[in-house]
Amino acid sequence: MDPSEALDLIRQERANTGRALTPDPRLMYWPWGLTWLIGFGLSFLRYGPGGRTLVALPEWVPLFGLTALMIAAGLFTGLAGARSGRSVSGPTTRQGIWYGIAWSAGFSGLAVVFGQISEALPEHLLGLLWGGGMVALVGALYMAGGAIWNERTMFSLGAWISAVNVVGVLLGPGWHALVVSLAGGGGMLVAGLIGWMRLR
Amino acid sequence: MTVDEPTLPDLDPVIHAQARLRVVAALSQLNRDDRIAFPRLQEILRMTPGNLSVHLRKLEEAGYVEVTKTHRGRTPATLVQLTRRGRFAFEEYVAALRTLIDPGEEPS
């Protein structure tokens, strides 16, 4: 084994190990991309811009659909993430668990705050409050995750989601759902693809 | 032997063997202080348990690897990690390889 062969072997083995221990970005991002695409898409169709109803779905469908899809995506990505890290223990595992707790704490905190003030708000602003608030949290947490793991794709996705969210909120109710569905959900699908291609 | 000729570094014989180099390279990819389960390491390296054990023992004797027997719930688990010394030896080894390829390059 000459020196350059040894260096090649090291490169290969490190890359191979990295792939084996990193969760597949497609499995981590695509469930969320589809959740946003469908969930916020339904919201746009039912509660369109200017209070218009584009498709006469029952009132409960968008919120129920989004919640059900989010639970499914959360379980799926949680399992996929745990599975890839199952055989490693140490500081990295703890980092992952703490990061997961940050997500739960953030969502629970916002849900309590929004729940308290929702009654005082007119109907047409409710979607904007819940949608805009939660999406802002997702964007910030993805950016934080990118910072923790030095993952450029994750950080960029968070920055993109944060920007898209602000644009949507400024455009107003209805438009927000459309923008988040297409640009936000689409962004997650793209992030999964880019992350996967980088790992190969 | 000329005086001017730069001395080429020796390669650490514990690491400079194909199978053990693969083991150390794989372990070096883990974050500091993280441990990996033996069966998973075996799967990543595509080695038989016996083969991997032999190489780990050699690395353990050199103080480069630490093998811990523990329990996960009720099932016994064997965890493997690179020691600080092992990580340092690996970095030195890589630096030595670079110097061998390009002797003009100052080892950093």
Coordinates of all heavy atoms in Angstrom, one line a residue, chain B residues 40-104:
Chain B
R40 N -22.6 -2.5 14.2 CA -22.8 -1.5 13.2 C -21.4 -1.2 12.5 O -21.4 -1.0 11.3 CB -23.3 -0.2 13.9 CG -23.7 0.9 13.0 CD -25.1 0.7 12.4 NE -25.5 1.9 11.7 CZ -25.8 1.9 10.4 NH1 -25.6 0.8 9.7 NH2 -26.2 3.0 9.9
L41 N -20.4 -1.1 13.3 CA -19.0 -0.9 12.7 C -18.7 -2.0 11.7 O -18.1 -1.8 10.7 CB -18.0 -0.8 13.9 CG -16.6 -0.5 13.4 CD1 -16.5 0.8 12.8 CD2 -15.6 -0.6 14.6
Q42 N -19.0 -3.2 12.1 CA -18.8 -4.4 11.3 C -19.5 -4.3 10.0 O -19.0 -4.6 8.9 CB -19.3 -5.6 12.1 CG -18.9 -6.9 11.6 CD -19.9 -7.9 12.2 OE1 -20.2 -7.8 13.4 NE2 -20.3 -8.9 11.4
E43 N -20.8 -3.8 10.1 CA -21.6 -3.7 8.9 C -21.0 -2.6 8.0 O -21.0 -2.8 6.7 CB -23.0 -3.2 9.4 CG -24.1 -3.3 8.5 CD -25.4 -2.8 9.2 OE1 -25.8 -3.5 10.2 OE2 -25.9 -1.7 8.9
I44 N -20.6 -1.5 8.5 CA -20.0 -0.4 7.7 C -18.7 -0.8 7.1 O -18.5 -0.5 5.9 CB -19.8 0.8 8.6 CG1 -21.1 1.5 9.1 CG2 -18.9 1.9 7.9 CD1 -20.9 2.5 10.1
L45 N -17.9 -1.6 7.8 CA -16.6 -2.0 7.2 C -16.7 -3.3 6.4 O -15.7 -3.7 5.7 CB -15.6 -2.2 8.4 CG -15.2 -1.0 9.1 CD1 -14.5 -1.3 10.4 CD2 -14.3 -0.1 8.2
R46 N -17.9 -4.0 6.4 CA -18.0 -5.3 5.8 C -16.9 -6.2 6.2 O -16.2 -6.8 5.3 CB -18.1 -5.1 4.2 CG -19.3 -4.3 3.8 CD -19.2 -3.9 2.3 NE -18.0 -3.2 2.0 CZ -17.9 -1.8 2.2 NH1 -18.9 -1.1 2.6 NH2 -16.7 -1.3 1.9
M47 N -16.8 -6.4 7.5 CA -15.8 -7.4 8.0 C -16.5 -8.4 8.8 O -17.6 -8.1 9.3 CB -14.8 -6.7 8.9 CG -13.7 -5.8 8.2 SD -12.6 -5.2 9.5 CE -11.6 -4.2 8.5
T48 N -15.9 -9.6 8.9 CA -16.5 -10.6 9.8 C -16.2 -10.2 11.2 O -15.2 -9.5 11.5 CB -15.9 -12.0 9.5 OG1 -14.5 -12.0 9.8 CG2 -16.1 -12.4 8.1
P49 N -17.1 -10.7 12.2 CA -16.9 -10.3 13.6 C -15.5 -10.7 14.1 O -14.8 -10.0 14.7 CB -17.9 -11.1 14.3 CG -19.0 -11.4 13.3 CD -18.3 -11.5 12.0
G50 N -15.0 -11.9 13.7 CA -13.7 -12.4 14.1 C -12.6 -11.6 13.6 O -11.7 -11.2 14.4
N51 N -12.7 -11.2 12.3 CA -11.7 -10.4 11.7 C -11.6 -9.0 12.4 O -10.5 -8.5 12.8 CB -12.1 -10.2 10.2 CG -10.9 -9.8 9.4 OD1 -9.8 -9.6 9.9 ND2 -11.1 -9.7 8.1
L52 N -12.8 -8.4 12.6 CA -12.8 -7.1 13.2 C -12.2 -7.1 14.6 O -11.5 -6.3 15.0 CB -14.2 -6.5 13.2 CG -14.4 -5.1 13.8 CD1 -13.5 -4.1 13.1 CD2 -15.9 -4.7 13.7
S53 N -12.6 -8.2 15.4 CA -12.1 -8.3 16.8 C -10.6 -8.4 16.8 O -10.0 -7.7 17.7 CB -12.7 -9.6 17.4 OG -14.0 -9.6 17.5
V54 N -10.0 -9.1 15.9 CA -8.6 -9.3 15.9 C -7.9 -7.9 15.7 O -7.0 -7.5 16.4 CB -8.1 -10.3 14.7 CG1 -6.6 -10.2 14.6 CG2 -8.6 -11.7 15.1
H55 N -8.4 -7.1 14.7 CA -7.8 -5.8 14.5 C -8.1 -4.9 15.6 O -7.2 -4.1 16.0 CB -8.3 -5.3 13.2 CG -7.9 -6.1 12.0 ND1 -6.5 -6.2 11.7 CD2 -8.5 -6.8 11.0 CE1 -6.4 -7.0 10.6 NE2 -7.6 -7.3 10.2
L56 N -9.2 -5.0 16.2 CA -9.5 -4.1 17.3 C -8.6 -4.4 18.5 O -8.1 -3.5 19.2 CB -11.0 -4.2 17.8 CG -12.0 -3.5 16.9 CD1 -13.4 -3.8 17.4 CD2 -11.8 -2.0 16.8
R57 N -8.3 -5.7 18.7 CA -7.5 -6.0 19.8 C -6.1 -5.4 19.6 O -5.5 -4.9 20.5 CB -7.4 -7.5 20.0 CG -7.0 -8.0 21.4 CD -7.3 -9.5 21.6 NE -8.7 -9.8 21.3 CZ -9.1 -10.8 20.5 NH1 -8.2 -11.7 20.0 NH2 -10.4 -11.0 20.3
K58 N -5.6 -5.5 18.4 CA -4.3 -4.9 18.1 C -4.3 -3.4 18.4 O -3.3 -2.9 19.0 CB -4.0 -5.1 16.6 CG -2.9 -6.3 16.4 CD -1.7 -5.8 15.7 CE -0.5 -6.5 16.1 NZ -0.1 -7.5 15.1
L59 N -5.3 -2.7 17.9 CA -5.4 -1.3 18.1 C -5.6 -1.0 19.6 O -5.1 0.1 20.1 CB -6.6 -0.7 17.3 CG -6.4 -0.7 15.8 CD1 -7.8 -0.5 15.1 CD2 -5.4 0.3 15.4
E60 N -6.3 -1.8 20.3 CA -6.5 -1.6 21.8 C -5.2 -1.8 22.5 O -4.9 -1.0 23.4 CB -7.5 -2.7 22.3 CG -8.4 -2.2 23.4 CD -9.3 -3.2 23.9 OE1 -9.4 -4.3 23.2 OE2 -10.0 -3.0 24.9
E61 N -4.4 -2.8 22.1 CA -3.1 -3.0 22.7 C -2.2 -1.7 22.5 O -1.4 -1.4 23.4 CB -2.4 -4.2 22.1 CG -2.9 -5.5 22.7 CD -2.5 -6.7 21.9 OE1 -1.6 -6.6 21.0 OE2 -3.1 -7.8 22.1
A62 N -2.3 -1.1 21.4 CA -1.5 0.1 21.1 C -2.1 1.4 21.8 O -1.5 2.4 21.8 CB -1.4 0.4 19.6
G63 N -3.2 1.2 22.5 CA -3.9 2.3 23.2 C -4.6 3.3 22.2 O -4.9 4.4 22.6
Y64 N -4.9 2.8 21.0 CA -5.5 3.7 20.0 C -7.1 3.6 20.0 O -7.8 4.5 19.6 CB -5.1 3.3 18.6 CG -3.6 3.7 18.3 CD1 -3.1 3.3 17.1 CD2 -2.9 4.3 19.2 CE1 -1.7 3.7 16.8 CE2 -1.5 4.6 19.0 CZ -1.0 4.3 17.7 OH 0.3 4.6 17.5
V65 N -7.6 2.5 20.5 CA -9.0 2.2 20.5 C -9.4 1.8 21.9 O -8.6 1.1 22.6 CB -9.3 1.1 19.5 CG1 -10.6 0.4 19.8 CG2 -9.4 1.7 18.1
E66 N -10.6 2.2 22.3 CA -11.2 1.7 23.5 C -12.4 0.9 23.2 O -13.3 1.4 22.5 CB -11.5 2.9 24.4 CG -11.7 2.5 25.9 CD -12.1 3.8 26.7 OE1 -11.2 4.6 26.8 OE2 -13.2 3.9 27.1
V67 N -12.5 -0.3 23.8 CA -13.7 -1.2 23.6 C -14.4 -1.3 24.9 O -13.7 -1.7 25.9 CB -13.3 -2.6 23.0 CG1 -14.5 -3.5 22.9 CG2 -12.5 -2.4 21.7
T68 N -15.6 -0.9 25.0 CA -16.4 -0.9 26.2 C -17.5 -1.9 26.1 O -18.3 -1.9 25.2 CB -17.0 0.4 26.5 OG1 -16.1 1.4 26.0 CG2 -17.2 0.6 28.0
K69 N -17.6 -2.8 27.2 CA -18.8 -3.7 27.2 C -19.8 -3.0 28.1 O -19.5 -2.7 29.2 CB -18.4 -5.0 27.8 CG -17.2 -5.6 27.0 CD -17.6 -6.9 26.4 CE -16.4 -7.5 25.7 NZ -16.6 -7.9 24.3
T70 N -21.0 -2.9 27.6 CA -22.1 -2.3 28.5 C -23.4 -3.0 28.2 O -23.5 -4.0 27.5 CB -22.1 -0.8 28.1 OG1 -23.2 -0.2 28.8 CG2 -22.3 -0.5 26.7
H71 N -24.5 -2.4 28.8 CA -25.8 -3.0 28.6 C -26.7 -1.9 28.0 O -26.7 -0.8 28.5 CB -26.4 -3.6 29.9 CG -25.7 -4.9 30.3 ND1 -26.2 -6.1 29.9 CD2 -24.6 -5.1 31.0 CE1 -25.4 -7.0 30.4 NE2 -24.4 -6.5 31.0
R72 N -27.5 -2.3 27.0 CA -28.5 -1.4 26.6 C -29.8 -2.1 26.9 O -30.3 -3.0 26.3 CB -28.4 -1.3 25.0 CG -27.5 -0.1 24.7 CD -27.6 0.1 23.2 NE -26.8 1.3 22.9 CZ -26.5 1.7 21.7 NH1 -27.0 1.1 20.6 NH2 -25.8 2.8 21.5
G73 N -30.4 -1.6 28.0 CA -31.6 -2.4 28.5 C -31.0 -3.7 29.0 O -30.2 -3.7 29.9
R74 N -31.5 -4.8 28.5 CA -31.0 -6.1 28.9 C -30.0 -6.7 28.0 O -29.4 -7.7 28.4 CB -32.2 -7.0 29.1 CG -33.1 -6.6 30.3 CD -33.8 -7.8 30.8 NE -34.3 -7.7 32.1 CZ -35.2 -8.5 32.6 NH1 -35.7 -9.5 31.9 NH2 -35.7 -8.3 33.8
T75 N -29.9 -6.2 26.8 CA -29.0 -6.8 25.9 C -27.6 -6.2 26.0 O -27.4 -5.0 26.1 CB -29.4 -6.5 24.4 OG1 -29.9 -5.2 24.3 CG2 -30.5 -7.5 24.0
P76 N -26.6 -7.1 26.1 CA -25.2 -6.6 26.2 C -24.8 -5.9 24.9 O -25.2 -6.3 23.8 CB -24.4 -7.9 26.4 CG -25.2 -9.0 25.9 CD -26.7 -8.6 26.0
A77 N -24.0 -4.9 25.0 CA -23.6 -4.2 23.8 C -22.1 -3.9 23.9 O -21.6 -3.6 25.0 CB -24.3 -2.9 23.7
T78 N -21.4 -4.0 22.8 CA -20.0 -3.7 22.8 C -19.8 -2.4 22.0 O -20.2 -2.3 20.9 CB -19.2 -4.8 22.1 OG1 -19.4 -6.0 22.8 CG2 -17.7 -4.5 22.1
L79 N -19.2 -1.4 22.6 CA -19.0 -0.1 22.0 C -17.6 0.2 21.7 O -16.7 -0.1 22.5 CB -19.6 1.0 22.9 CG -21.1 0.9 23.2 CD1 -21.5 2.0 24.1 CD2 -22.0 1.0 21.9
V80 N -17.3 0.8 20.6 CA -15.9 1.1 20.2 C -15.7 2.5 19.9 O -16.6 3.2 19.4 CB -15.6 0.3 18.8 CG1 -14.2 0.5 18.5 CG2 -16.0 -1.1 19.0
Q81 N -14.6 3.1 20.4 CA -14.2 4.5 20.1 C -12.7 4.6 19.9 O -12.0 3.8 20.4 CB -14.8 5.4 21.1 CG -13.8 5.5 22.3 CD -14.4 6.4 23.4 OE1 -14.6 6.0 24.5 NE2 -14.5 7.7 23.1
L82 N -12.4 5.7 19.2 CA -11.0 6.0 19.1 C -10.6 6.8 20.3 O -11.3 7.6 20.8 CB -10.8 6.9 17.8 CG -9.6 6.8 17.0 CD1 -9.3 5.4 16.5 CD2 -9.7 7.7 15.7
T83 N -9.4 6.4 20.9 CA -9.0 7.2 22.1 C -8.3 8.5 21.6 O -8.1 8.7 20.4 CB -7.9 6.4 22.9 OG1 -6.8 6.2 22.0 CG2 -8.4 5.1 23.4
R84 N -8.1 9.4 22.5 CA -7.4 10.7 22.1 C -6.0 10.3 21.5 O -5.6 10.9 20.5 CB -7.2 11.5 23.4 CG -8.2 12.5 23.5 CD -8.5 12.9 25.0 NE -9.9 13.0 25.2 CZ -10.6 14.2 25.1 NH1 -10.0 15.3 24.8 NH2 -11.9 14.2 25.2
R85 N -5.4 9.4 22.1 CA -4.1 8.9 21.5 C -4.2 8.4 20.1 O -3.4 8.6 19.2 CB -3.5 7.9 22.5 CG -2.1 7.5 22.2 CD -1.5 6.8 23.4 NE -0.3 6.1 22.9 CZ 0.2 5.1 23.5 NH1 -0.3 4.6 24.6 NH2 1.3 4.5 23.0
G86 N -5.3 7.6 19.9 CA -5.5 7.0 18.6 C -5.8 8.1 17.6 O -5.4 8.0 16.4
R87 N -6.6 9.1 18.0 CA -6.9 10.1 17.0 C -5.7 10.9 16.6 O -5.5 11.2 15.5 CB -8.0 11.1 17.7 CG -8.8 11.9 16.8 CD -9.9 12.6 17.5 NE -11.1 11.7 17.7 CZ -12.1 11.5 16.8 NH1 -12.0 12.2 15.6 NH2 -13.1 10.7 17.0
F88 N -4.8 11.1 17.7 CA -3.6 11.9 17.4 C -2.7 11.0 16.5 O -2.1 11.6 15.5 CB -2.9 12.1 18.7 CG -1.6 12.9 18.6 CD1 -1.6 14.2 18.2 CD2 -0.4 12.3 18.8 CE1 -0.4 14.9 18.1 CE2 0.8 12.9 18.7 CZ 0.8 14.3 18.3
A89 N -2.6 9.7 16.8 CA -1.7 8.9 15.9 C -2.2 8.8 14.5 O -1.5 8.8 13.5 CB -1.7 7.4 16.5
F90 N -3.6 8.9 14.3 CA -4.2 8.9 13.0 C -3.8 10.2 12.2 O -3.4 10.2 11.1 CB -5.7 8.7 13.1 CG -6.4 8.8 11.7 CD1 -6.2 7.8 10.8 CD2 -7.2 9.8 11.4 CE1 -6.8 7.8 9.5 CE2 -7.9 9.9 10.2 CZ -7.7 8.9 9.3
E91 N -3.9 11.3 13.0 CA -3.6 12.6 12.3 C -2.1 12.6 11.9 O -1.8 13.1 10.9 CB -3.9 13.7 13.3 CG -5.4 14.1 13.3 CD -5.8 14.8 14.5 OE1 -5.0 15.3 15.3 OE2 -7.1 14.9 14.8
E92 N -1.3 12.1 12.8 CA 0.2 12.0 12.5 C 0.4 11.2 11.3 O 1.3 11.5 10.4 CB 0.9 11.4 13.7 CG 1.0 12.3 14.9 CD 2.0 13.4 14.8 OE1 3.2 13.1 15.0 OE2 1.7 14.5 14.5
Y93 N -0.3 10.1 11.2 CA -0.1 9.1 10.1 C -0.5 9.8 8.8 O 0.2 9.7 7.8 CB -1.0 7.9 10.4 CG -1.1 6.9 9.2 CD1 0.0 6.0 9.0 CD2 -2.1 6.9 8.3 CE1 -0.1 5.1 8.0 CE2 -2.2 6.0 7.3 CZ -1.2 5.1 7.1 OH -1.2 4.2 6.0
V94 N -1.6 10.5 8.8 CA -2.1 11.2 7.6 C -1.1 12.3 7.2 O -0.7 12.4 6.0 CB -3.5 11.9 7.8 CG1 -3.9 12.7 6.6 CG2 -4.5 10.8 8.0
A95 N -0.5 13.0 8.2 CA 0.5 14.0 7.9 C 1.7 13.4 7.3 O 2.3 13.9 6.3 CB 0.8 14.8 9.2
A96 N 2.1 12.2 7.8 CA 3.3 11.5 7.3 C 3.1 11.1 5.8 O 4.0 11.2 5.0 CB 3.6 10.3 8.2
L97 N 1.8 10.6 5.5 CA 1.5 10.2 4.2 C 1.7 11.4 3.2 O 2.3 11.3 2.2 CB 0.1 9.7 4.1 CG -0.3 8.3 4.7 CD1 -1.8 8.1 4.4 CD2 0.5 7.2 4.0
R98 N 1.2 12.5 3.7 CA 1.3 13.7 2.8 C 2.7 14.1 2.6 O 3.1 14.5 1.5 CB 0.5 14.9 3.5 CG -0.9 14.6 3.7 CD -1.8 15.8 3.2 NE -3.1 15.4 2.9 CZ -4.1 15.4 3.8 NH1 -3.9 15.9 5.0 NH2 -5.3 14.9 3.5
T99 N 3.6 14.0 3.6 CA 5.0 14.3 3.5 C 5.6 13.4 2.5 O 6.5 13.8 1.7 CB 5.7 14.3 4.8 OG1 4.9 15.0 5.8 CG2 7.0 14.9 4.8
L100 N 5.3 12.1 2.6 CA 5.9 11.1 1.7 C 5.5 11.4 0.2 O 6.3 11.2 -0.7 CB 5.4 9.7 2.1 CG 6.0 9.1 3.3 CD1 5.3 7.8 3.7 CD2 7.5 8.8 3.1
I101 N 4.2 11.8 0.0 CA 3.8 12.1 -1.4 C 4.5 13.4 -1.9 O 4.9 13.4 -3.0 CB 2.3 12.3 -1.4 CG1 1.6 10.9 -1.1 CG2 1.8 12.8 -2.7 CD1 0.1 11.0 -0.9
D102 N 4.6 14.4 -1.0 CA 5.2 15.6 -1.4 C 6.2 16.1 -0.3 O 5.8 16.8 0.6 CB 4.1 16.7 -1.6 CG 4.7 18.0 -2.1 OD1 5.9 18.0 -2.3 OD2 4.0 19.0 -2.2
P103 N 7.4 15.6 -0.4 CA 8.4 15.9 0.7 C 8.7 17.3 0.9 O 9.1 17.8 2.0 CB 9.7 15.2 0.2 CG 9.2 14.2 -0.8 CD 8.0 14.8 -1.4
G104 N 8.4 18.2 -0.1 CA 8.7 19.6 0.0 C 7.7 20.3 0.9 O 7.9 21.3 1.5

